Amino acid sequence: MTLPMMTMAGEVSVAVASNFTAPMKVIAQAFERDTGHKAILSFGATGQFYAQIKNGAPFTVLLAADDETPARLEREGVAVLGTRFTYATGKVVLWSKKADLVDAKGEILKTGKFDKLALANPKLAPYGAAAIQVLEKMNLTKQLGPKLVEASNIGQTFQFVSSGNAALGFVALSQVFENGKLKEGSGWVVPSNLYSPIKQDAVLLTSGKANGAAQALLQYLRSDKAKAIIVSFGYDL
């Protein structure tokens, strides 16, 4: 009975925003089990993916860290109109691998009693742009400027903090949160009024217009099973 499914099964090449790495790995496994289709995942900064897609990179689906990039690709004729939707709304957390460093209100930022503060490149990564907004709202941009360490994307930001190269950093909640709690270290979930909403949109790229697996993945992301996985990593829907 498995032969017909395997005959129809296809592959979808997915460009995935770094912050969504952990949940997408889980979703891809469930997607393959449930549909027979295989999702080939690439992770990186949304801004970098935009440039690669415009230069002909063979992705068929984009899971962005914002809503602006997929909309722009639609306007430019590189994404299929009517396929874009918000699959998750991201949250920013100030995180340290040290269990007692970050307090529940983020007061550590005001004291400046730490070495380096990591954040993603705000020009390429929406989570980096959000981190800058937080510092601006808290009037700490000038004070903390010398301590800032810029990573190319939110994945590298997490690595900086996880390795100890930075004492703390603004990362995606999904990177340090699972099943309702922090996996390790200490963190302050930044209030959403300190930065613009991080609406993360998915879109079908024109190269995937005739790809059944690509269309199936976008449909699967809207399923209750996928939504439950996404929420378990700290996102809003």
Side-chain angles (χ1 to χ4, degrees):
M1 293 297 291
T2 58
L3 190 57
M5 185 179 77
M6 294 305 292
T7 303
M8 295 189 303
E11 289 188 351
V12 49
S13 179
V14 194
V16 185
S18 295
N19 75 86
F20 204 63
T21 297
M24 192 57 200
K25 285 180 177 178
V26 178
I27 290 170
Q29 290 174 349
F31 174 66
E32 185 170 0
R33 281 197 306 270
D34 293 344
T35 69
H37 298 306
K38 187 173 182 63
I40 309 300
L41 309 177
S42 298
F43 303 103
T46 295
Q48 290 172 332
F49 279 135
Y50 170 79
Q52 290 170 8
I53 290 164
K54 290 286 288 181
N55 285 322
F59 297 118
T60 48
V61 167
L62 170 66
L63 301 185
D66 64 0
D67 54 0
E68 184 181 321
T69 302
R72 186 178 177 186
L73 289 169
E74 275 186 337
R75 292 193 300 271
E76 294 171 347
V78 188
V80 181
L81 284 170
T83 63
R84 178 167 56 91
F85 66 94
T86 301
Y87 65 90
T89 300
K91 296 179 187 176
V92 176
V93 59
L94 179 69
W95 179 71
S96 173
K97 194 173 182 181
K98 295 179 180 178
D100 57 352
L101 186 61
V102 180
D103 58 281
K105 294 185 178 179
E107 294 293 327
I108 180 73
L109 289 175
K110 296 176 182 176
T111 68
K113 292 180 180 178
F114 58 89
D115 182 21
K116 293 174 183 173
L117 172 64
L119 76 167
N121 182 338
K123 294 178 180 177
L124 292 175
Y127 280 83
I132 293 295
Q133 289 176 0
V134 173
L135 294 178
E136 289 173 348
K137 285 275 183 75
M138 296 179 73
N139 295 314
L140 293 173
T141 311
K142 188 174 181 180
Q143 177 184 327
L144 296 181
K147 294 179 181 285
L148 298 183
V149 180
E150 192 176 288
S152 60
N153 57 50
I154 200 68
Q156 190 180 56
T157 309
F158 172 78
Q159 289 170 8
F160 281 177
V161 184
S162 182
S163 66
N165 286 328
L168 64 165
F170 286 106
V171 300
L173 184 60
S174 58
Q175 293 172 299
V176 298
F177 186 87
E178 194 170 7
N179 297 323
K181 61 182 180 180
L182 282 179
K183 289 186 277 191
E184 66 173 330
S186 55
W188 170 52
V189 180
V190 180
S192 58
N193 64 333
L194 292 181
Y195 58 94
S196 301
I198 304 177
K199 291 188 177 297
Q200 303 193 192
D201 279 10
V203 72
L204 179 67
L205 301 172
T206 50
S207 58
K209 201 170 185 179
N211 185 320
Q215 294 167 11
L217 177 63
L218 290 174
Q219 186 176 352
Y220 195 81
L221 281 167
R222 295 174 181 256
S223 70
D224 289 342
K225 183 180 282 189
K227 287 178 179 178
I229 294 167
I230 292 167
V231 169
S232 76
F233 282 92
Y235 292 93
D236 286 335
L237 296 174

